[in-house]
Amino acid sequence: MQRLVVIAGPERSGKIPLARRLMSEDTSLMCVHRDNIRAALVNPLDEGHITLCMGALADMLLSLGFSLIVVAWNLEPEDRDLWTRIAADHGVPMDRMDVRDADVAAMIPPMAEAA
């Protein structure tokens, strides 16, 4: 079943190790990572515009039938609104995981396993 997983948390808080773990458990998940989008751009782009790019990419990939895991700060109300709207537009369930929550933090593999 197609789905959208949103991982939220501050910088260097274990978002990518968690995403890798989830993707190893569900190989249908495709990762959209904010840092990779930013790095792919030749010229700097405002962070708000990067968020819009992430949303557009996620929208297209969901349209193509992929399940997604999106990794970014995702802590602002506007971020939650964006991903909630995109999930609703595509009729897919959304799981939001904040790495600051104890239950989510417990899922983050130790750094040695994350590499």
Side-chain angles (χ1 to χ4, degrees), residues 6-9 54 70-76 79-80 83 96:
V6 177
I7 298 181
M54 285 185 69
V70 293
V71 180
W73 177 264
N74 289 323
L75 296 173
E76 302 298 329
D79 299 325
R80 184 184 300 255
W83 301 120
R96 186 174 182 282

Side-chain angles (χ1 to χ4, degrees), residues 7-18 72 98-100 105 108:
I7 298 181
E11 183 179 358
R12 299 197 169 288
S13 59
K15 295 184 299 288
I16 282 297
L18 176 58
D98 187 331
V99 298
R100 300 170 302 169
I108 300 170

Side-chain angles (χ1 to χ4, degrees), residues 89-107:
D89 287 351
H90 291 276
V92 299
M94 181 182 82
D95 298 317
R96 186 174 182 282
M97 305 178 84
D98 187 331
V99 298
R100 300 170 302 169
D101 294 340
D103 291 342
V104 175
M107 297 173 63

Side-chain angles (χ1 to χ4, degrees), residues 2 55 58-64 84-93:
Q2 194 178 13
D59 189 53
M60 179 56 66
L61 291 170
L62 287 167
S63 292
L64 293 171
T84 300
R85 180 188 53 78
I86 288 173
D89 287 351
H90 291 276
V92 299

Side-chain angles (χ1 to χ4, degrees), residues 18-91:
L18 176 58
R20 286 186 183 128
R21 176 182 176 182
L22 295 173
M23 289 186 298
S24 73
E25 295 169 359
D26 181 353
T27 58
S28 73
L29 286 169
M30 181 176 289
C31 185
V32 175
H33 184 248
R34 179 183 208 89
D35 292 349
N36 291 342
I37 292 173
R38 187 185 303 109
L41 300 169
V42 175
N43 295 317
L45 190 62
D46 176 86
E47 290 299 313
H49 292 137
I50 293 174
T51 299
L52 293 175
C53 289
M54 285 185 69
L57 180 58
D59 189 53
M60 179 56 66
L61 291 170
L62 287 167
S63 292
L64 293 171
F66 292 99
S67 286
L68 298 179
I69 188 164
V70 293
V71 180
W73 177 264
N74 289 323
L75 296 173
E76 302 298 329
E78 297 83 13
D79 299 325
R80 184 184 300 255
D81 293 346
L82 171 70
W83 301 120
T84 300
R85 180 188 53 78
I86 288 173
D89 287 351
H90 291 276

